[in-house]
Amino acid sequence: MTTQSTGQAIRSMEEPNYESLKRSLGLFASGVNIITSFDEEGPVGFTCQSFYSVSLDPPLISISVMRTSTSYPRIRYSGGFAVNVLCESQRELSNKFAKSGGDKWAGVNWEPSPTGKPLLTGSLMSLDCILYEEHAVGDHYVVYGQIQGVRSNASTGETPLVYFGGAYRSLSGN
């Protein structure tokens, strides 16, 4: 099969500014996760959309976190984190952990992983990671975690919480 150009070159594109990037990049659907850890002050966490698999051998994942995050320095200092992939029924939990300040953990059920990281009850999947590498890139840190343990709850029949176009979306058609 061959493809053919329409013959007309695009003569201009919108400038990449904050608003155009936010609007355009919001058209990429992503899963919603809560990154958690535990330190001497107790549990810590934040909502994160930027998560992906990097390598199976060694088992590595990556997250991106804003450099202005007040939670991430505690996570960095602890030396590891858990990635909790949220299901549709956890929208309120996502909103709770997306806000800065306050007691995010009030009323939140979790179990410690073998290494002590908070694994959120009801999450679709959780990964227990050690901090493998970190890079400051633009206004974010790109963080690599080496997976130490996996907990999957796929048998629950839940579907993942998805974010698209500035709103939560459902894979079940709602």
Side-chain angles (χ1 to χ4, degrees):
M1 178 178 179
T2 59
T3 60
Q4 186 173 341
S5 169
T6 61
Q8 297 182 5
I10 295 175
R11 301 219 188 283
S12 68
M13 293 179 74
E14 192 173 355
E15 287 292 319
N17 58 49
Y18 179 83
E19 287 303 319
S20 67
L21 287 171
K22 188 172 179 180
R23 184 177 57 254
S24 296
L25 295 174
L27 297 175
F28 180 76
S30 64
V32 182
N33 315 281
I34 294 179
I35 308 304
T36 60
S37 195
F38 196 91
D39 65 7
E40 64 276 350
E41 295 180 45
V44 60
F46 62 90
T47 299
C48 177
Q49 288 174 249
S50 184
F51 157 73
Y52 60 93
S53 170
V54 173
S55 170
L56 294 176
D57 187 18
L60 299 172
I61 57 90
S62 180
I63 61 170
S64 292
V65 57
M66 292 193 66
R67 292 174 80 173
T68 57
S69 170
T70 57
S71 299
Y72 182 65
R74 289 178 56 196
I75 292 171
R76 177 195 296 127
Y77 183 75
S78 76
F81 56 91
V83 177
N84 296 274
V85 176
L86 302 185
C87 57
E88 283 187 16
S89 63
Q90 294 177 306
R91 288 181 188 205
E92 287 182 33
L93 193 60
S94 171
N95 289 334
K96 187 175 193 173
F97 278 79
K99 295 180 178 136
S100 186
D103 185 4
K104 297 177 183 181
W105 293 91
V108 174
N109 295 320
W110 60 277
E111 304 88 32
S113 72
T115 62
K117 312 298 181 309
L119 305 181
L120 300 176
T121 304
S123 60
L124 197 58
M125 181 263 295
S126 298
L127 302 173
D128 188 3
C129 303
I130 57 171
L131 187 60
Y132 184 79
E133 202 169 297
E134 174 191 293
H135 300 279
V137 181
D139 58 2
H140 279 67
Y141 292 111
V142 177
V143 181
Y144 297 93
Q146 185 166 11
I147 302 167
Q148 303 296 297
V150 178
R151 180 182 76 171
S152 174
N153 293 321
S155 63
T156 64
E158 288 270 9
T159 55
L161 183 58
V162 176
Y163 201 76
F164 172 77
Y168 294 117
R169 305 298 175 152
S170 173
L171 295 180
S172 60
N174 296 332

